[in-house]
Amino acid sequence: MSANKYEPHLVVLPEDDANAALINGFLLFAGLNSRQIQVLPVAGGWQNALRVFLDEHIPKLRQYNQRRFVLVIDFDNDSNRRDIVLKQIPDEVRDRAFVLGVFSEPEQLRSALNRRFEDIGRTLSQECFENHHKLWAHQLLMHNQTELTRLNQSVRDFLFP
Amino acid sequence: MIQRLYAHNYRCFENFELNLKDISSCLLIGKNGSGKSTVRDVLEIFQKIGRGTNRIRELLTPNDFAWGKRNSPIRFELEAAVEQQIFKYEIAFELPDGFHELRVFEEKLSVRDTVVYSRKVAQVTLSRTHANSEANFLVDWHLVALPIISASSEKDPVQVFKTWLSSLTILSPIPHLTHGHSSGETLYLAKDGSNFAEWLEGLLGTYPAAYTRLDKTLKQVLPDFVDFQGVPSGGNSRKLVVQFARDKQSFRVDFEHLSSGEKCFFIWSAILAANAHIGGLFCFWDEVDNHLSLSEIGHFTIALRQSYQQQGQIILTTHSEGILRRFSHENIFYLSRKSHLEPTIVRPLSEVYKGRNIVQDLILDDIEL
């Protein structure tokens, strides 16, 4: 069976195909327990992603206390984007909700690195496993550092056993 | 790994070229009738040649000419990296006036751009022999030469290539034909999965360590799975019986009585185990999403891609959103044709689509080639 909702698991909501491609790469890292992750269909924009999360998934976070939820969205060069999202999440589930993304958009990251989305995602996953954040320190990703630490504490035990 | 597949004047293919160099896993998508399963059929021709089928009428018929264009040869080319060598195999078939069965027009096998053998109609020239000289001989023009050219050793390029061709796995499982009975073993899985039990026996008989991987994968998708056994069922036949258990209670069921999706889980798990233990396998799985539940489709796809990332190569076709979303545009090929009277066009999706929601745009039929 796929991720048992009564065991620790992670649900990921990507804003669009480009973010989904990064996530695919993340899932392809062999050291990841990908069966504990379920990726939802793309939301079609960060505001849609937020709306879907608030309307449909907050109640489920309350219901399933082993669920963690990550929104993967473009920051469109807005350093306040994560705070805008997190402020709308109720207190009782906020410790299990996370927001990550490229500071501008994934296409810029791909161009900057001259690598495919999936290669980038796989490296990011490997760095999480190895606790060695070199690509995560890229100028388009470094704004995720605090959130990544918070997420790592919540999911590391079951995603990288 | 296949680097390039080419087909011309075959069914809906005219100068059809699929470039797969350095691609360990990819997805073919396109509307019904766009040619995805025709890619499977081309690969099946190569597989049959590798497995010894050399009579042309068992590979092709005159009806396979594209739009009946019998005055132009049907041509296939396959370039593959096998055991760190680049092989290129080319074969063309023609139907001269007065013939009822196609004959070989040209055939050639090269490795690293050096011709191993070449053929024009019935005349075969073998470039290397034991004496390092050229040999010329005739082959019935209704026969493909590759299966009948003998190799000097296991390392002979002809043998290396034939062995690899024979190992191509092409799947389009029909679960209700997968009954779980066997009266022998084989290392060749049938396209429809009907000989799954025999293939499983062959796999585990030759690679016993594969059971561990198989068991682990099955327990991930079927948590109450315990094991399976081949139980005698009369004469030399055996039937596959599967045991499940939970809360100190157990239950045994004949494999043939599992659901279609559960049978596909077994095939999938065995494919993963085979790729891990035999190494470097090629698999084409047509409409892989058939019979799989929504909660499993994503995990199934990622597991296949992870396995083939290490070694081997896999091509999937699908109409499923769940499968599609587990591939990036860089690993998807889009096939399209404007009508039944026009040839299939294939392009990497990343070259023709710059949008951000491929599923939505496929639903709206907004992709233009």
Side-chain angles (χ1 to χ4, degrees), chain B residues 6 28 33 51 74 83 133 138 237 245 248 278 295 354 363:
Chain B
Y6 173 84
L28 305 185
R51 293 182 182 181
I74 293 175
E83 294 187 10
S133 58
L138 296 174
S237 296
K248 296 183 184 176
I278 299 175
S295 64
K354 305 298 180 189
I363 291 170

Side-chain angles (χ1 to χ4, degrees), chain B residues 62 73 116:
Chain B
V116 175

Side-chain angles (χ1 to χ4, degrees), chain B residues 9-25:
Chain B
N9 203 27
Y10 175 76
R11 299 191 186 168
C12 58
F13 289 166
E14 217 170 62
N15 287 317
F16 177 90
E17 188 172 52
L18 192 59
N19 287 300
L20 300 172
K21 191 177 178 191
D22 298 327
I23 295 178
S24 62
S25 61

Side-chain angles (χ1 to χ4, degrees), chain A residues 105-140:
Chain A
E105 57 179 19
E107 288 84 350
Q108 279 204 9
L109 182 66
R110 180 180 61 183
S111 297
L113 297 173
N114 194 26
R115 290 170 67 181
R116 296 179 169 194
F117 283 136
E118 286 192 356
D119 290 342
I120 295 170
R122 193 165 29 233
T123 300
L124 293 175
S125 187
Q126 184 172 357
E127 287 189 0
C128 287
F129 172 69
E130 294 172 350
N131 249 332
H132 173 65
H133 296 165
K134 184 179 175 186
L135 182 53
W136 280 109
H138 189 279
Q139 63 178 22
L140 289 174

Side-chain angles (χ1 to χ4, degrees), chain B residues 3 12 29 46 97 137 168 185 252 287 316:
Chain B
Q3 296 194 334
C12 58
I29 62 170
F46 285 113
D97 290 340
F137 53 92
L168 298 180
E185 58 181 61
R252 291 161 65 87
E287 299 206 3
L316 308 178

Side-chain angles (χ1 to χ4, degrees), chain A residues 11 17 49-50 85 89-90 97 99-100 104 109 113 116-117 121 125-127 132 134 139 146 149 153 159:
Chain A
V11 177
D17 286 355
L50 177 58
V85 172
I89 301 173
V99 182
L100 294 173
S104 52
L109 182 66
L113 297 173
R116 296 179 169 194
F117 283 136
S125 187
Q126 184 172 357
E127 287 189 0
H132 173 65
K134 184 179 175 186
Q139 63 178 22
T146 305
T149 302
Q153 286 167 352
L159 285 191

Side-chain angles (χ1 to χ4, degrees), chain A residues 1 16-17 35 118 122, chain B residues 296 305 309 328 356 358:
Chain A
M1 304 300 176
D16 57 24
D17 286 355
R35 289 196 67 83
E118 286 192 356
R122 193 165 29 233
Chain B
E296 268 306 325
R305 296 194 67 197
Q309 196 175 232
S328 313
R356 295 190 134 207
I358 182 61

